[in-house]
Amino acid sequence: MTSNLTIRDRCFEWGRRTYLMGVLNVTPDSFSDGGEFNAIASALAQAQALQSAGADIIDIGGQSTRPGAEQISVTEELNRVLPVLQVLRPEISLPISVDTTRSEVAIAAREAGADIVNDISGGMFDPEMLPSVAKLGVPIILMHMRGTPQTMQKMTDYQDLMGEIGNFFSERIATAIATGIDQQKIIIDPGIGFAKNYEQNLEIFRRLPELRKFNCPILVGPSRKSFIGHILNQPDPKARVWGTAAACCAAIFAGTDILRVHDVKQMHDVCLVADAIFRQS
C-alpha cells in the first residue's frame, strides 16, 4: 500500500509503519474484558490510557462478538455506545471507530463523533450498512466471517480457506464501491477466530500476503484469542500477552497495516521493533 488516508486530521501512511487500534469494549460479556469498561468513567480512563500508550485508533464496541455471545437489541447497543462516545469525543484526539453491524448504530455514532465503522459482517448483516457508510463518507473495515457469533464456530468447513476469503473480499469491495464508498476508505480484515478453527487461523497468518492484491489496508485482530491460548496452554486471555506479541510480529512481517489489540503499551514496543526490521525506512 502506497496511498494515504486522513482520518480526523491524522494521516495514515500505509506501508510506512504499523498502526494500533486499541480495543474498548463497553460490554458486560466480552471474552477477555467484559464488565471492566462498561461504566462511563472506566471507559474514559481506559481510552485515555490507550491513547497515552500509543494507540492510533480507539475501537468502541457495545455488542460482544465472542463465540456464542447473545445478540442485544439496537436500543441496548445504542445505550451502551452513545453515552461513552459522547464523553470520549471531547477528551480523545484520536480517530474513534465504532464496532457494529447495524447502520442505525453507525449513523448515531457518527453524529456523536465516531470516524470509522468497523463491521465484523463486512456489511452483510444489515443491507443498509454500506449505503449508510457511503452517505456518511467515513472509512469502513470489512471483516470476513461466516454465520453469526452464535453459529460461527460450527461453520469452519472450507474447501479453500484463502480462496473463499478472497472471493468474499472481491464481492464485498465491489459492492461497497458500487454503493458509493471510496475505495481508499475500505480496510479489510480476514477475521481471525471468526468461523476459523485453530489450524485455519495459523494458515491465515502464513498466507496474509495474498490479501495485498486487493490494494486495501489490512487489519488483523489476534489479541488474546483462543488460538494463542491453545498454543500456550493458557486458558486466561489476559495471560496471552507474549503470545499476542508473537502473532503481531508475524502479522507485521506479512505486511499488515493495522493491529487491533487490547494491550497497546506492549504491542507498541513490538511494532516499533518489528517495523524497524521489516519495513523500509
Side-chain angles (χ1 to χ4, degrees), residues 148-187:
T148 67
Q150 292 85 4
T151 64
M152 63 186 180
Q153 296 312 98
K154 299 176 183 177
M155 304 184 73
T156 60
D157 183 22
Y158 297 86
Q159 297 299 313
D160 174 9
L161 176 66
M162 293 304 289
E164 291 185 40
I165 291 173
N167 289 340
F168 175 88
F169 284 135
S170 293
E171 188 277 327
R172 290 284 85 197
I173 292 167
T175 301
I177 293 170
T179 60
I181 296 174
D182 183 346
Q183 182 168 5
Q184 292 193 335
K185 293 182 178 179
I186 298 172
I187 298 162

Side-chain angles (χ1 to χ4, degrees), residues 100-102 117-131 133 140-145 168 171-172 175-176 181:
T100 187
T101 61
R102 290 157 160 166
V117 174
N118 181 12
D119 186 344
I120 63 161
S121 79
M124 296 287 284
F125 288 0
D126 182 347
E128 293 303 314
M129 179 61 91
L130 297 182
V133 170
I140 186 167
I141 299 161
L142 301 174
M143 194 190 83
H144 172 271
M145 70 177 298
F168 175 88
E171 188 277 327
R172 290 284 85 197
T175 301
I181 296 174

Side-chain angles (χ1 to χ4, degrees), residues 8-271:
R8 190 163 287 271
D9 299 326
R10 289 175 180 259
C11 184
F12 290 75
E13 298 181 86
W14 308 124
R16 294 291 299 275
R17 71 174 183 90
T18 307
Y19 295 92
L20 287 175
M21 172 183 278
V23 178
L24 181 60
N25 288 318
V26 292
T27 60
D29 58 343
S30 290
F31 83 97
S32 77
D33 56 1
E36 291 186 35
F37 310 117
N38 55 336
I40 291 175
S42 59
L44 175 59
Q46 178 65 0
Q48 290 170 327
L50 293 170
Q51 179 171 259
S52 297
D56 299 289
I57 302 166
I58 305 290
D59 189 46
I60 301 177
Q63 163 70 62
S64 175
T65 55
R66 63 175 172 77
E70 290 296 319
Q71 181 84 354
I72 61 172
S73 68
V74 175
T75 300
E76 177 65 21
E77 187 177 353
L78 288 167
N79 288 341
R80 290 179 182 181
V81 171
L82 292 184
V84 171
L85 188 49
Q86 288 161 353
V87 170
L88 258 60
R89 186 68 282 173
E91 304 294 331
I92 299 295
S93 62
L94 301 176
I96 295 175
S97 64
V98 59
D99 182 354
T100 187
T101 61
R102 290 157 160 166
S103 58
E104 190 175 338
V105 176
I107 292 166
R110 175 59 178 155
E111 290 174 354
D115 308 286
I116 305 164
V117 174
N118 181 12
D119 186 344
I120 63 161
S121 79
M124 296 287 284
F125 288 0
D126 182 347
E128 293 303 314
M129 179 61 91
L130 297 182
S132 296
V133 170
K135 290 176 184 175
L136 295 172
V138 297
I140 186 167
I141 299 161
L142 301 174
M143 194 190 83
H144 172 271
M145 70 177 298
R146 282 173 161 186
T148 67
Q150 292 85 4
T151 64
M152 63 186 180
Q153 296 312 98
K154 299 176 183 177
M155 304 184 73
T156 60
D157 183 22
Y158 297 86
Q159 297 299 313
D160 174 9
L161 176 66
M162 293 304 289
E164 291 185 40
I165 291 173
N167 289 340
F168 175 88
F169 284 135
S170 293
E171 188 277 327
R172 290 284 85 197
I173 292 167
T175 301
I177 293 170
T179 60
I181 296 174
D182 183 346
Q183 182 168 5
Q184 292 193 335
K185 293 182 178 179
I186 298 172
I187 298 162
I188 58 174
D189 175 357
I192 297 295
F194 286 82
K196 285 90 174 178
N197 62 27
Y198 168 73
E199 292 289 352
Q200 290 161 351
N201 287 320
L202 298 185
E203 182 179 351
I204 290 170
F205 274 90
R206 296 183 188 116
R207 299 177 64 183
L208 274 170
E210 295 176 29
L211 298 179
R212 294 180 191 168
K213 67 184 177 183
F214 294 107
N215 205 33
C216 292
I218 298 168
L219 182 149
V220 174
S223 188
R224 301 179 178 178
K225 287 191 173 171
S226 61
F227 81 96
I228 297 170
H230 179 85
I231 296 167
L232 301 179
N233 191 27
Q234 177 51 261
D236 179 5
K238 290 184 180 178
R240 299 171 184 167
V241 177
W242 294 113
T244 297
C248 287
C249 192
I252 293 169
F253 174 72
T256 296
D257 297 284
I258 306 170
L259 292 167
R260 184 180 182 275
V261 299
H262 300 81
D263 305 291
V264 169
K265 186 175 188 296
Q266 295 90 330
M267 299 314 130
H268 185 255
D269 285 357
V270 170
C271 290

